[in-house]
Amino acid sequence: MKTTLLSGLLWLIALACLGQTAKKMEHTAKLKEKIALACKLTDKDQIKRMQQLHQTLFKKIDKTIEGPTSYELVFDNADSTLSKDLFDFIQFERLCCPWLNFQLTYLPGEGPVSLKMGNSVETKEMVYLVMELDKLPKPR
């Protein structure tokens, strides 16, 4: 009897987890659809640009700070090309993501440079998807 109850409870937990996964997948699909509708770039352009960013600019990120409504990319060691790369990145992303807020901060002296993106929970989720933040190099 106890085994049957325990098995039943485990099945209920498993079904609840599957339901949550399905809801999350549906939510992600809806966000991707919104992004696709707003974006003025082709899929080829987006894919090519993301590959370039992950090979160049995104490798320079020292840490990613997740806020309640945004992500902040921090570059501790700004090199001579970082500013241009960041401005190019923002110009490109404004074509793809016209709904997104960008905040670029240069701290005094040789301090870090940071780029904050997002302004709501939904835009934060979109940033995570569009920028493929899960593929960023781990902090050094």
Side-chain angles (χ1 to χ4, degrees), residues 1-109:
M1 177 84 167
K2 287 182 182 178
T3 305
T4 305
L5 285 174
L6 185 58
S7 294
L9 182 60
L10 290 175
W11 272 106
L12 286 174
I13 292 170
L15 289 173
C17 289
L18 287 174
Q20 291 297 330
T21 302
K23 285 180 185 176
K24 184 158 179 81
M25 289 172 60
E26 183 180 328
H27 178 71
T28 299
K30 286 180 182 177
L31 281 177
K32 285 183 177 183
E33 186 178 331
K34 282 184 179 182
I35 294 166
L37 290 172
C39 187
K40 294 178 173 85
L41 302 169
T42 68
D43 283 343
K44 278 184 176 179
D45 291 338
Q46 289 175 311
I47 292 167
K48 182 178 177 184
R49 182 60 174 156
M50 262 315 119
Q51 289 171 341
Q52 290 170 342
L53 288 169
H54 282 280
Q55 291 170 3
T56 57
L57 180 63
F58 283 12
K59 282 187 177 179
K60 297 177 184 180
I61 295 169
D62 290 295
K63 65 182 166 191
T64 304
I65 301 170
E66 182 178 352
T69 61
S70 63
Y71 282 98
E72 184 174 2
L73 309 178
V74 180
F75 304 85
D76 288 332
N77 304 304
D79 61 22
S80 60
T81 62
L82 182 65
S83 290
K84 183 185 180 325
D85 289 346
L86 285 170
F87 285 118
D88 289 347
F89 171 76
I90 291 169
Q91 282 184 311
F92 180 85
E93 289 305 323
R94 288 184 73 194
L95 289 174
C96 183
C97 308
W99 40 264
L100 186 56
N101 285 5
F102 296 92
Q103 181 181 351
L104 191 54
T105 304
Y106 288 81
L107 292 181

